[in-house]
Each structure stands twice: as structure tokens, then as C-alpha cells.
């Protein structure tokens, strides 16, 4: 009992007898206000405890050296034929990949960007073989095959024969110059074997420097271009599909003669698909869509007209284009997009990941090359308590575009440069002990302040009463 009585001496909360305390109306109002304040502050603190906040840090990019960056694109070129449209990729390490085909799909489009056929996977064709230069220099031709067709006799010539193979060429073209003696020798042999009275097949040629509109009307962009016309047109129906025919085989005399022999059975008969024939362009434009995987170093995507064994007239090239989409990485899922929108330091705009979306770039000159310079920044979102792999990498970029006159084949270049700084956004929440400490501080602080106000108000009223009582006496 003595021990318990000694413990009472260290009681921090000594009590006064109830008959020594006094309840006041002012104290009651202060108690009500203090209770409301404590309830309000406690509710706000509890809401803050349940909610999470984000912490943003700038760190050096932690991506592993072997990590590849996915670049997605969908671009329409109203004046670039799918026959020659190619995509090349290069980077600062010296890596060059020409004419990517595995992850690129092409679809023919009109000048109004309307598709006129199904998209197809791009394929790589080997360069055609040519006869040795000078092989036919000693041969004497006894027929006149040197005169090209013109717009005046083009349709009449095509309508006269069931099959006409036309060589669209340009005299300045190196590949056309190599093909010329071979073409003349092959023409002589085919015409000798199938003379005028037979009339099943004819070889002809068109000089595109003299017949510009005629060549453009058949969407000729590279030289030489070999087209097959049947009954006056180069349209065929194969498997119920409307198509055009272009020869892409070897350009030797033997190959051309063999090709003509293979076409003979189809003269006046239902069309047969030859293995050296491919779809010729039916429209002037091409839509290129797909993706590429690149190293995380500065690099360039190069869209241009290119083909082994063809030459291009720069004055005929128009690289106007519409960028439907161009973004890095993968599109976020609905859940990850919500997390990104909630935790992103500056919030998300409509074009947060695709600054080039639906942008039109027009070539004001025939030899205009367009260049887009993109500066890419990686933002990594790490949700609270997420399992491994729940983090999301969001790529954003700034875009600067311009065009200039080029001495080379006009093209579209998309140059990208990745920042070495990574933005790391972590989702954090308050620990339970912080909530407990804050709750105690709210209760104790409000109670103390209310007690001080009550004491001040009580003593002030008491003093006023004493002064008034002194005046009365």
C-alpha cells in the first residue's frame, strides 16, 4: 500500500474535486468548437493516410545495355509508290539496316489517303542480273526496234496485240543503259519467233523523258520499269482480285526471252500468274505502318524510294506525308494509363506520347527532304506495392521538323536522340506510426489551445466583473 501511495506522487494528471470546478457557458462553446475542429482535422488526416502521393527523382537511365527500344509508326505518302517505298534504319554505333521488311506493311493509297487495296507485308527482292556489257555490240538488228512509243501510238500499239511488254526507261539512267542492248537483242529474238502475222506478243519501250505524262499516268517512279499489258491494259483479274503486273526478274536476254515464252500460253486465254510478275502500283501513294526495334542510342529512320537495279529522277519525287502515329514503346493498358495519369508529375495531355499525331508535311519543292528531330525522355512509373514487372516505361518526346532541298533522292528522315536522364516516379504512402503521431498531435494541440482560450476568456470575464463591482461600491 505504501508503494502505491508513493506512485501517486508522480501522477501527471492530478484531479480536482468536482465541487471545486466551475462550468461556464463560454467554456461549453469552446468545447463544442474544439470537438468539431478535432473531428475535422482527424478526418482530413485519415483521408491523407489512405491516399498516396508520388515522389519524383532524376536518375541516370537504368535500362540494361541489351534492352531494345520499339518504335511504332504509321505514315502515308500520297506521291510515293509502294513499289519502291523502303525503310532504312541506322544508329550512332554504325549499325545500318537497309530495306526493312519483316515488321513493315504497305498499303496502296490515293492522293486523298484512301486505301485501294489490302495491306501486304513488305518483302525483299534480290537485285536483278544483267548481261555483260558489250555482249550484243556485234549483233546487227534487221528490224527497227529503236523507236520508242509515244502518247500518239501507245494505246493503238497495245490494242493491236494480246500481250505487250513495255520498258519504261530514261536515257540518263545507268541501269537503263545497261538494259538497252539486252532489251534490243531479246526483242529481236521474240519478234523473230513470233512475227507480225502471229501477233501474240510484242516488246516495246517508252522514253519517260520525252513522254512524262504518259509515264506518270502509269505511276512510273523508278527506271527501268517493265510492265505487262494485256489487250491494251495492264489490269488483270487473278483469283477475283483486280491487279497490275510488273516484271521483277533478271534482266538478261535469256531471262527476258524465257519470260516471253511463259506469257505466250496466256495470250487470249484466262490470265496466269507468272513467278517473275508482281503487283505494279495502281495508285500514286503508299501507307507504311509497322515497328522497328533499335538500340537505345541516337539513330535515324529513313523513308525513301530505293531499289536495286532502278534509278530515280529527283524532279519526279514528292515526299509529302501525313504522320498518323509515331510513338516509342508500347501503348499502356487501361490500368497502367490510369496509374500514369494519376502519378505523372505534369499530368497527361492528348498528345503526351505522340507529338506528330495527324501532322501533315507538304513538299514545296520537288527535291524537298523532310527531317524530324525527336528528343526522347523515359519516365518510369513504379506503383506502390506492385509486384515485379508492374512498373511501366512511358516514352515522351519533343519534335522539331523542317524541310530542305537535297542533291540526293528526296526522303523523310526521323532522327531520334534519347536522354541519358530517366524520370523515376514512385508511389508512396504514409506509415501507420505517422498517422498515429499526427492524430495525437491533433487531439493534444486542439485541447491545449482550447484550454488556453477558455482560461483567457474566463479570467478576462472575471476581471471585468471585479472592475464593475468596484465601481458600484
Amino acid at each position: 500500500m505504501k508503494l502505491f501511495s508513493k506512485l501517486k506522487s508522480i501522477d501527471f494528471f492530478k484531479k480536482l474535486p468536482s465541487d471545486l470546478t466551475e462550468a461556464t457557458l463560454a467554456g461549453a462553446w469552446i468545447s463544442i468548437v474544439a470537438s468539431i475542429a478535432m473531428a475535422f482535422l482527424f478526418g482530413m488526416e485519415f483521408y491523407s493516410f489512405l491516399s498516396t502521393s508520388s515522389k519524383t527523382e532524376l536518375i541516370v537511365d537504368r535500362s540494361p545495355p541489351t534492352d531494345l527500344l520499339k518504335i511504332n509508326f504509321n505514315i502515308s505518302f500520297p506521291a510515293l509508290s509502294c513499289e519502291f517505298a523502303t525503310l532504312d534504319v541506322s544508329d550512332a554505333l554504325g549499325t545500318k539496316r537497309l530495306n526493312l521488311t519483316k515488321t513493315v506493311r504497305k498499303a496502296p493509297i490515293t492522293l486523298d489517303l484512301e486505301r485501294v487495296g489490302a495491306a501486304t507485308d513488305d518483302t525483299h527482292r534480290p537485285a536483278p542480273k544483267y548481261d555483260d556489257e558489250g555482249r550484243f555490240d556485234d549483233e546487227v538488228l534487221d528490224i527497227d526496234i529503236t523507236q520508242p512509243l509515244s502518247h500518239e501510238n501507245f494505246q493503238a500499239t497495245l490494242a493491236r496485240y494480246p500481250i505487250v511488254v513495255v520498258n519504261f526507261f530514261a536515257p540518263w539512267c545507268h541501269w537503263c543503259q545497261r538494259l538497252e542492248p539486252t532489251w534490243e537483242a531479246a526483242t529481236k529474238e521474240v519478234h523473230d519467233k513470233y512475227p507480225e502475222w502471229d501477233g501474240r506478243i510484242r516488246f516495246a519501250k517508252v522514253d519517260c523523258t520525252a513522254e512524262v505524262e504518259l509515264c506518270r499516268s502509269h505511276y512510273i517512279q523508278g527506271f527501268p520499269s517493265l510492265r505487262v499489258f494485256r489487250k491494251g491494259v495492264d489490269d488483270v483479274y487473278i483469283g477475283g482480285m483486280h491487279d497490275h503486273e510488273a516484271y521483277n526478274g533478271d534482266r538478261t536476254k535469256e531471262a527476258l526471252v524465257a519470260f516471253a515464252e511463259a506469257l505466250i500460253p496466256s495470250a487470249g486465254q484466262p490470265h496466269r500468274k507468272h513467278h517473275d510478275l508482281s503487283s505494279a502500283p495502281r495508285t500514286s501513294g503508299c501507307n507504311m505502318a509497322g515497328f522497328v526495334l533499335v538500340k537505345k542510342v541516337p539513330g535515324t529512320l529513313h523513308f525513301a524510294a530505293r531499289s536495286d537495279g532502278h534509278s530515280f529522277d529527283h524532279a519526279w519525287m514528292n515526299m509529302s506525308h501525313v504522320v498518323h502515329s509515331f510513338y516509342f514503346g508500347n501503348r499502356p493498358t487501361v490500368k497502367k494509363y490510369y496509374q500514369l495519369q494519376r502519378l505523372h508529375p505534369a499530368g497527361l495531355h492528348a498528345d503526351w506520347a505522340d507529338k506528330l499525331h495527324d501532322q501533315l508535311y507538304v513538299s514545296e519543292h520537288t527535291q524537298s527532304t523532310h527531317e524530324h528531330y525527336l528528343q526522347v525522355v523515359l519516365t518510369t512509373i513504379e506503383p506502390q506495392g506492385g509486384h515485379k514487372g508492374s512498373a511501366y516505361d512511358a516514352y515522351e518526346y519533343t519534335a522539331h521538323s523542317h524541310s530542305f532541298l537535297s542533291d540526293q533522292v528526296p526522303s523523310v528522315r526521323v532522327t531520334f536522340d534519347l536522354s541519358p536522364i530517366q524520370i523515376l516516379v514512385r508511389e508512396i504512402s504514409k506509415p501507420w506510426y505517422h498517422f498515429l503521431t499526427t492524430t495525437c498531435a491533433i487531439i493534444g494541440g486542439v485541447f491545449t489551445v482550447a484550454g488556453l482560450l477558455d482560461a483567457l476568456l474566463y479570467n478576462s470575464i472575471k476581471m471585468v466583473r471585479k472592475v464593475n463591482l468596484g465601481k458600484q461600491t
Side-chain angles (χ1 to χ4, degrees):
M1 296 299 294
K2 292 182 179 181
L3 178 62
F4 291 156
S5 61
K6 290 182 179 181
L7 286 175
K8 290 181 180 181
S9 61
I10 61 174
D11 183 8
F12 293 161
F13 310 100
K14 296 180 174 63
K15 310 301 186 297
L16 292 175
S18 57
D19 55 350
L20 297 179
T21 59
E22 180 183 1
T24 62
L25 184 61
W29 282 110
I30 291 177
S31 299
I32 293 174
V33 173
S35 300
I36 295 175
M38 282 189 288
F40 174 76
L41 293 176
F42 176 79
M44 295 297 295
E45 181 61 26
F46 185 69
Y47 175 79
S48 177
F49 172 72
L50 295 179
S51 62
T52 59
S53 59
S54 62
K55 179 182 179 182
T56 304
E57 298 175 317
L58 297 179
I59 61 174
V60 177
D61 193 350
R62 301 183 303 179
S63 302
T66 58
D67 195 12
L68 297 178
L69 176 62
K70 184 179 181 182
I71 303 178
N72 307 270
F73 60 88
N74 185 348
I75 305 176
S76 290
F77 300 89
L80 177 62
S81 170
C82 285
E83 184 178 13
F84 302 116
T86 60
L87 169 61
D88 303 333
V89 178
S90 60
D91 61 33
L93 298 180
T95 303
K96 292 184 178 180
R97 291 180 288 167
L98 304 179
N99 193 15
L100 298 185
T101 58
K102 292 184 178 180
T103 59
V104 180
R105 293 178 65 83
K106 298 179 183 178
I109 59 174
T110 65
L111 290 174
D112 297 326
L113 305 183
E114 296 180 359
R115 289 195 178 189
V116 294
T120 58
D121 294 328
D122 197 7
T123 57
H124 177 72
R125 296 191 299 264
K129 297 179 181 180
Y130 284 82
D131 284 316
D132 295 334
E133 295 186 25
R135 175 182 173 185
F136 305 104
D137 291 348
D138 298 332
E139 294 192 12
V140 179
L141 302 177
D142 58 359
I143 60 173
D144 185 10
I145 59 173
T146 61
Q147 296 302 317
L149 298 179
S150 67
H151 65 279
E152 297 175 351
N153 60 2
F154 184 78
Q155 289 298 335
T157 302
L158 299 185
R160 184 175 179 179
Y161 305 100
I163 299 177
V164 179
V165 183
V166 181
N167 171 19
F168 293 91
F169 72 98
W172 53 262
C173 167
H174 166 71
W175 299 110
C176 298
Q177 295 169 5
R178 285 202 61 180
L179 177 63
E180 182 179 6
T182 300
W183 182 261
E184 294 177 356
T187 300
K188 180 181 183 303
E189 182 169 335
V190 171
H191 288 188
D192 287 344
K193 188 170 184 179
Y194 303 98
E196 182 71 22
W197 59 265
D198 181 274
R200 282 182 288 178
I201 189 169
R202 269 296 182 266
F203 277 19
K205 58 184 179 181
V206 174
D207 182 356
C208 288
T209 60
E211 300 292 337
V212 175
E213 293 302 324
L214 177 60
C215 293
R216 286 183 175 175
S217 66
H218 289 86
Y219 309 110
I220 304 299
Q221 294 184 352
F223 308 106
S225 290
L226 307 183
R227 297 284 191 267
V228 178
F229 292 82
R230 303 172 189 263
K231 296 184 178 180
V233 295
D234 60 345
D235 299 341
V236 296
Y237 288 88
I238 300 175
M241 298 297 292
H242 185 72
D243 209 344
H244 296 238
E245 294 179 299
Y247 175 75
N248 291 304
D250 291 335
R251 297 170 185 173
T252 62
K253 176 184 175 182
E254 290 74 14
L256 292 173
V257 172
F259 172 65
E261 294 283 357
L263 289 177
I264 288 298
S266 66
Q269 303 295 326
H271 300 306
R272 303 177 183 179
K273 187 70 172 180
H274 191 276
H275 63 86
D276 281 330
L277 285 175
S278 63
S279 296
R282 292 176 282 172
T283 60
S284 61
C286 185
N287 172 265
M288 300 182 68
F291 68 91
V292 294
L293 297 175
V294 299
K295 297 178 181 178
K296 290 190 174 182
V297 296
T300 301
L301 272 64
H302 193 193
F303 299 88
R306 189 173 63 82
S307 174
D308 296 332
H310 289 85
S311 299
F312 300 94
D313 187 350
H314 298 186
W316 288 29
M317 305 304 297
N318 183 349
M319 295 305 294
S320 299
H321 58 285
V322 177
V323 183
H324 303 290
S325 64
F326 195 100
Y327 60 94
F328 298 84
N330 296 315
R331 289 289 192 186
T333 62
V334 176
K335 180 179 180 180
K336 288 185 176 181
Y337 181 82
Y338 169 74
Q339 294 175 346
L340 184 63
Q341 188 178 37
R342 181 167 53 89
L343 299 177
H344 194 282
L348 296 183
H349 303 285
D351 60 348
W352 69 275
D354 190 356
K355 296 295 190 300
L356 297 178
H357 177 66
D358 282 346
Q359 295 294 318
L360 170 64
Y361 301 91
V362 179
S363 296
E364 298 181 356
H365 306 279
T366 55
Q367 292 182 259
S368 294
T369 288
H370 298 264
E371 185 166 16
H372 307 287
Y373 180 70
L374 312 182
Q375 292 177 301
V376 188
V377 178
L378 169 61
T379 300
T380 301
I381 305 296
E382 293 186 354
Q384 181 205 10
H387 56 82
K388 185 177 181 180
S390 61
Y392 173 65
D393 291 337
Y395 290 91
E396 301 176 76
Y397 64 85
T398 59
H400 305 276
S401 305
H402 75 113
S403 62
F404 58 92
L405 296 180
S406 174
D407 294 333
Q408 300 177 350
V409 176
S411 61
V412 173
R413 303 174 186 171
V414 183
T415 302
F416 56 92
D417 187 6
L418 283 83
S419 171
I421 300 301
Q422 176 183 3
I423 302 176
L424 181 61
V425 182
R426 289 193 178 100
E427 185 180 22
I428 57 177
S429 61
K430 293 183 179 180
W432 63 269
Y433 59 83
H434 186 275
F435 169 72
L436 184 60
T437 302
T438 307
T439 301
C440 293
I442 290 174
I443 297 175
V446 173
F447 187 82
T448 301
V449 172
L452 293 175
L453 290 176
D454 178 67
L456 178 63
L457 184 61
Y458 176 77
N459 291 327
S460 298
I461 295 175
K462 189 175 180 181
M463 185 178 297
V464 170
R465 287 178 178 176
K466 286 183 178 180
V467 170
N468 293 335
L469 183 60
K471 290 181 179 180
Q472 293 178 0
T473 58

